[in-house]
Amino acid sequence: MLISNISAKVIANWLFSFGYLPMTNTICASNSPQRWQTLWLNVNLVTMIETEDDYGAVKEAALAISDGKIVWLGKEVDLPTYNKDTLEVLDGQGRWLTPGLIDCHTHLVYGGNRANEFEMRLQGKSYQEIAEAGGGIVSTVKATREATAAELLKSSLPRLTALHQQGVTTVEIKSGYGLDLTNEIKMLEVAGELAKQLPVTVKRTFLGAHALPIEYKDDPDGYIALVCDEIMPVIVKQKLADTVDVFCENIGFDIKQTERVFIAAKKHGLAIKAHAEQLSDLGGTELAAKYQALSSDHVEFLSEQGIKAMSAANMTAVLLPGAFYFLRETQHPPIELLRKHGVDMAIATDVNPGSSPICSIQLMLNMACTLFRLTPNEALAGVTRNAAKALGLSSSKGQLAVGFDADIAVWNISQPAELCYQFGVNPLSALIQDGRQVI
Ligand code: NIG
Ligand code: FE
């Protein structure tokens, strides 16, 4: 690759990673081989440090970890002298290391399931028709309200376990099936509890504006007032979420209602994201850009104007191929235009009972390529670097780089594209979370 193709940021990142740039005192201290705790030898790295097309790959590499952080990585021949008796040395046997995968959009805490609606759809009813007839999200709200926290935990744990076993070290979990104070809190507390049960980082998002609960069926503005004035302040006070999401859609909330939620979120210092342009183009993404949202998610119906707004606000487009597939959508997200305007693309499962009951990040990698025609490099960036960006975690997760969290997946593959190419045989060989081997 020509040096002119690489941005200054990329060069700085590489120089920093390989020890040619000055580092902060803390990193310098732990970077000395005397302080290393674990050293992987004989590995290949998919760093996902932003280069144009080669996964930021480093072959015949080594990687050192200390205090939960990556402290050295590079060609094995360039390793500084270290004392093998003072640290754990592991032979990677030529395996590939990627950043731990990040699923940046899920609704994996919910009660019941919607297999009956799946059958209805197979008989010809659409997702929208089912929602308008009182099914859809609202039927999961009923089941979620009826479930105890312990029951929700029990039903969610296998879903998170499935993601974890496929290499996921960070997951975002949204509320949005409670739709009242007690039940939104219950969902977010269960999401917090999941992070205690499994070695996975859980980032929680308040999605009170997901659907209109039955008791507010004729008063959407009254419900938005409840979300903004009653529920959100408690969520903030109890630190149950740091991001707010809205389903901006004709079966969700309109632009004015969405804006009210964004204004309230900003007032509380919360980050913002949106489910927008999934089934129609209401302009939710442009609105989200106006409020410096982290991401707009789904975006099948996004216009070029919306894409320009995303680009100007440095937002990430979160693509959800599972929902596209499961709802048998035909409108593809505008991938070429997103590329043209330099909008970063993330990929996520959108695990939920209605539009994507699919707990597989590996299948999303495959679908991102087969259904949306992403390159494997783009797909992998979508579940690492760009997924971290969609969660506001760009400086600590999603790349193998010095100073980043040592969240690392170890794969039994012979080239990175295999992670997108083959599906059904799990190539995960080990998983490291915060420097600790957890699988
Ligand atoms: O991301 N679009 C809105 N929310 C979910 C679906 C939720 C459901 O159907 O239960 C989604 O597709
Ligand atoms: Fe969603």
Side-chain angles (χ1 to χ4, degrees):
M1 180 187 305
L2 291 173
I3 201 84
S4 59
N5 282 346
I6 309 173
S7 71
K9 186 175 124 204
V10 171
I11 295 170
N13 226 339
W14 273 82
L15 292 174
F16 177 75
S17 304
F18 293 98
Y20 297 117
L21 272 190
M23 290 175 274
T24 67
N25 285 339
T26 336
I27 293 169
C28 262
S30 59
N31 193 32
S32 112
Q34 287 72 38
R35 301 276 309 265
W36 292 355
Q37 289 161 348
T38 306
L39 176 62
W40 283 83
L41 296 175
N42 193 14
V43 288
N44 300 297
L45 307 177
V46 166
T47 66
M48 291 322 297
I49 290 171
E50 197 169 0
T51 60
E52 304 246 314
D53 55 11
D54 62 357
Y55 312 92
V58 185
K59 290 195 178 160
E60 295 168 5
L63 181 144
I65 299 170
S66 189
D67 293 331
K69 303 281 178 200
I70 297 170
V71 288
W72 193 93
L73 79 171
K75 287 270 185 203
E76 194 172 315
V77 290
D78 295 330
L79 264 174
T81 312
Y82 62 92
N83 180 351
K84 65 177 171 30
D85 300 328
T86 62
L87 79 168
E88 179 189 28
V89 181
L90 299 167
D91 180 0
Q93 298 178 329
R95 291 193 177 86
W96 284 81
L97 270 48
T98 68
L101 306 187
I102 299 172
D103 192 351
C104 67
H105 179 142
T106 84
H107 311 246
L108 69 73
V109 174
Y110 58 80
N113 71 60
R114 306 229 292 275
N116 58 331
E117 292 183 8
F118 180 53
E119 289 182 315
M120 284 163 76
R121 284 202 298 110
L122 288 167
Q123 283 153 14
K125 288 256 180 306
S126 75
Y127 182 68
Q128 286 98 313
E129 282 167 346
I130 293 169
E132 276 152 15
I137 295 172
V138 168
S139 67
T140 298
V141 171
K142 187 168 179 293
T144 305
R145 285 179 176 179
E146 282 166 9
T148 63
E151 286 164 346
L152 285 180
L153 185 65
K154 191 165 172 227
S155 63
S156 309
L157 199 53
R159 297 194 270 267
L160 184 58
T161 303
L163 292 173
H164 184 237
Q165 287 176 345
Q166 294 197 10
V168 169
T169 49
T170 299
V171 68
E172 185 248 23
I173 302 179
K174 301 175 195 293
S175 68
Y177 293 120
L179 308 188
D180 62 21
L181 180 64
T182 311
N183 288 292
E184 286 293 295
I185 289 178
K186 179 174 76 182
M187 285 188 73
L188 291 166
E189 283 179 345
V190 169
E193 186 56 35
L194 283 169
K196 296 186 191 142
Q197 306 259 332
L198 276 178
V200 177
T201 300
V202 173
K203 191 100 168 25
R204 295 178 291 183
T205 297
F206 171 51
L207 178 57
H210 193 198
L212 206 53
I214 216 108
E215 62 276 17
Y216 279 88
K217 135 168 124 11
D218 301 315
D219 184 14
D221 292 335
Y223 179 63
I224 289 295
L226 178 82
V227 165
C228 297
D229 305 336
E230 311 282 333
I231 310 181
M232 201 186 295
V234 180
I235 303 280
V236 171
K237 191 152 179 248
Q238 297 188 15
K239 294 191 170 52
L240 291 170
D242 57 14
T243 303
V244 169
D245 194 346
V246 179
F247 185 24
C248 181
E249 190 53 71
N250 43 41
I251 56 165
F253 294 93
D254 67 22
I255 285 284
K256 263 184 81 183
Q257 292 153 352
T258 303
E259 185 159 25
R260 277 190 66 188
V261 180
F262 287 168
I263 290 170
K266 282 276 165 188
K267 193 182 88 191
H268 288 292
L270 298 167
I272 285 170
K273 35 179 69 229
H275 280 71
E277 276 70 72
Q278 178 187 12
L279 308 166
S280 62
D281 183 6
L282 293 192
T285 301
E286 260 182 273
L287 180 74
K290 180 174 156 198
Y291 288 90
Q292 286 87 43
L294 288 170
S295 69
S296 185
D297 304 31
H298 286 289
V299 302
E300 279 85 343
F301 285 80
L302 183 59
S303 66
E304 185 158 14
Q305 195 178 321
I307 294 175
K308 285 183 184 161
M310 287 190 90
S311 173
N314 194 23
M315 282 168 69
T316 302
V318 178
L319 309 178
L320 304 168
F324 175 89
Y325 153 82
F326 193 71
L327 296 183
R328 304 185 68 231
E329 295 294 344
T330 50
Q331 169 100 11
H332 286 81
I335 304 296
E336 256 329 307
L337 286 172
L338 290 165
R339 284 187 184 124
K340 175 178 155 197
H341 293 287
V343 176
D344 292 322
M345 294 180 277
I347 307 292
T349 60
D350 194 17
V351 172
N352 75 72
S355 70
S356 187
I358 305 173
C359 300
S360 172
I361 198 82
Q362 290 177 10
L363 182 55
M364 295 307 122
L365 281 170
N366 181 268
M367 284 183 173
C369 299
T370 54
L371 300 178
F372 294 167
R373 312 306 290 166
L374 263 59
T375 64
N377 183 48
E378 286 173 324
L380 279 168
V383 297
T384 55
R385 186 182 68 241
N386 292 342
K389 182 171 168 243
L391 296 179
L393 299 174
S394 278
S395 57
S396 58
K397 293 191 187 289
Q399 298 177 52
L400 300 182
V402 170
F404 274 56
D405 293 347
D407 292 352
I408 300 168
V410 184
W411 305 97
N412 249 324
I413 52 173
S414 54
Q415 56 181 312
E418 269 178 55
L419 292 173
C420 304
Y421 151 82
Q422 180 177 252
F423 173 74
V425 176
N426 187 355
L428 189 77
S429 160
L431 194 64
I432 297 155
Q433 165 82 6
D434 280 329
R436 196 166 61 88
Q437 190 164 338
V438 293
I439 289 182

